């Protein structure tokens, strides 16, 4: 029987990764110790597949099969037996290393661990692990079920087998993996986060409105989505964590969080998941 893939963290990214894997035929255990968040994740995953059927992207049977491949668990011991573990926790080095060290205790010695970190060095996470050769970075781009790119980054001690297995897994679920060296932000966040911050500062300066900037980026630059729509999908709280981590590591003011981000978070305007961010969303859209 094909091994289970465990996904740690049922936030926006964890949900997206679970959807991607289940849609690609993998059995998934989506874990979060926050029971209300886990229940919300289950609802949002069901909504995603229902919308996919409505839009003609999946058949009803395929949607039902994918949903049946996802199990929701709240205790870390429930991931025992997983062949792969995908970590999608907040960008907090201490949290990631604490949880992944526990994963090594629970899972078999050959279980491969994928970290979805988008700012931290793979090597810095691996330093606290007993089996650093089993750790590889697999950074999915938001929204994970829709964006084909996944950045695959190896740490200093990541084995060739771990990298090759990660690439094979990603290709098997329809992703386009790109291998690259370990660096803060990898390629996409190194570019995109600075671009998002520039867009926010253009808004702050009165250069244009949210809608005008998004329209200029999509119509003028050919991007599929504008920076403010993307920020709402990612979540302003997540953006703050990412941009703060990059600013701390790189010392580049392009990554310093704009004041608007701090004010919106304080007001609870986190983006789509909160019902309002740069845009306002109906209950069905949130």
């Amino acid at each position: 029987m094909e091994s289970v893939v465990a996904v740690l963290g049922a936030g926006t990214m964890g949900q997206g990764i679970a959807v991607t894997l289940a849609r690609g035929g993998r059995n998934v255990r989506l874990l979060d110790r926050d029971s209300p968040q886990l229940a919300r994740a289950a609802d949002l995953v069901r909504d995603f597949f229902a919308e996919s059927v409505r839009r003609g992207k999946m058949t009803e049977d395929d949607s039902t099969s994918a949903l049946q491949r996802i199990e929701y668990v709240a205790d870390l011991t429930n991931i025992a037996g997983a062949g792969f573990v995908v970590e999608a926790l907040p960008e907090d080095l201490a949290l990631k290393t604490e949880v992944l060290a526990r994963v090594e205790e629970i899972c078999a010695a050959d279980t491969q661990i994928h970290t979805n970190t988008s700012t931290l060095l793979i090597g810095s996470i691996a330093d606290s692990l007993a089996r650093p050769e089993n750790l590889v970075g697999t950074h999915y781009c938001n929204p994970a079920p829709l964006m084909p790119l996944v950045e695959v980054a190896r740490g200093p001690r990541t084995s060739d087998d771990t990298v090759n297995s990660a690439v094979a897994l990603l290709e098997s679920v329809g992703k386009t993996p790109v291998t690259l060296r370990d660096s803060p932000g990898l390629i996409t966040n190194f570019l995109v986060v600075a671009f998002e911050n520039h867009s926010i500062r253009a808004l702050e300066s009165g250069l244009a409105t949210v809608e005008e900037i998004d329209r200029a980026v999509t119509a003028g630059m050919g991007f599929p989505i504008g920076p403010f729509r993307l920020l709402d999908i990612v979540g302003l709280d997540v953006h703050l964590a990412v941009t703060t981590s990059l600013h701390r590591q790189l010392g580049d003011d392009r990554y310093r969080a704009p004041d608007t981000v701090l004010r919106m978070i304080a007001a609870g305007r986190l983006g789509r998941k909160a019902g309002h961010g740069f845009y306002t969303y109906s209950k069905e859209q949130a």
Side-chain angles (χ1 to χ4, degrees):
M1 185 176 72
E2 194 171 73
S3 64
V4 167
V5 182
V7 179
L8 310 184
T12 300
M13 183 57 78
Q15 295 165 30
I17 294 171
V19 164
T20 298
L21 294 167
R23 188 176 57 188
R26 297 284 177 157
N27 295 318
V28 180
R29 286 184 195 145
L30 179 58
L31 178 139
D32 202 296
R33 288 180 287 190
D34 183 337
S35 296
Q37 176 59 37
L38 196 61
R40 175 172 165 77
D43 288 341
L44 291 172
V45 168
R46 282 193 294 271
D47 290 346
F48 177 89
F49 283 119
E51 181 67 9
S52 296
V53 172
R54 191 186 72 78
R55 290 175 176 266
K57 303 294 185 181
M58 297 181 76
T59 66
E60 189 74 51
D61 286 347
D62 286 343
S63 172
T64 299
S65 295
L67 280 168
Q68 290 174 343
R69 284 193 284 269
I70 302 177
E71 180 183 358
Y72 301 88
V73 298
D75 191 312
L76 198 59
T77 59
N78 292 132
I79 71 167
F84 296 91
V85 175
V86 183
E87 173 268 305
L89 299 171
E91 291 296 274
D92 180 325
L93 179 60
L95 173 64
K96 288 178 186 288
T97 55
E98 176 189 350
V99 173
L100 293 183
R102 180 77 176 118
V103 167
E104 287 189 315
E105 295 174 359
I106 293 169
C107 295
D110 60 351
T111 298
Q112 296 184 357
I113 300 174
H114 298 183
T115 173
N116 182 61
T117 183
S118 55
T119 66
L120 301 172
L121 291 172
I122 310 306
S124 66
I125 300 173
D127 282 345
S128 298
L129 299 184
R131 297 185 287 274
E133 67 277 6
N134 290 348
L135 179 72
V136 64
T138 54
H139 175 230
Y140 293 70
C141 298
N142 255 315
L146 306 181
M147 297 292 286
L149 172 67
V150 179
E151 296 175 301
V152 179
R154 67 188 306 155
R157 291 180 283 178
T158 306
S159 72
D160 289 341
D161 178 62
T162 298
V163 173
N164 294 337
S165 295
V167 168
L169 173 65
L170 292 165
E171 290 178 339
S172 76
V173 297
K175 290 301 185 184
T176 303
V178 174
T179 56
L180 38 79
R181 70 180 182 87
D182 189 14
S183 61
L186 303 176
I187 294 174
T188 54
N189 271 358
F190 184 80
L191 297 173
V192 171
V193 172
F195 173 63
E196 289 171 335
N197 282 345
H198 277 310
S199 299
I200 297 168
R201 292 191 177 102
L203 175 70
E204 289 176 336
S205 72
L207 181 65
T209 66
V210 165
E211 293 81 5
E212 288 167 344
I213 294 171
D214 271 359
R215 190 160 58 248
V217 168
T218 55
M221 301 174 69
F223 285 22
I225 189 171
F228 295 108
R229 286 287 185 194
L230 180 58
L231 283 161
D232 275 359
I233 291 171
V234 171
L236 272 293
D237 53 340
V238 174
H239 175 76
L240 177 61
V242 170
T243 197
T244 300
S245 178
L246 288 175
H247 185 233
R248 182 173 57 249
Q249 293 178 81
L250 300 172
D252 186 330
D253 275 349
R254 291 178 300 171
Y255 300 98
R256 179 179 53 80
D259 291 341
T260 293
V261 173
L262 304 179
R263 289 196 300 269
M264 290 178 67
I265 291 173
R269 299 181 67 88
L270 303 182
R272 176 177 277 182
K273 62 188 174 185
H276 47 215
F278 288 103
Y279 295 90
T280 298
Y281 301 89
S282 66
K283 184 178 179 181
E284 291 72 25
Q285 291 174 309

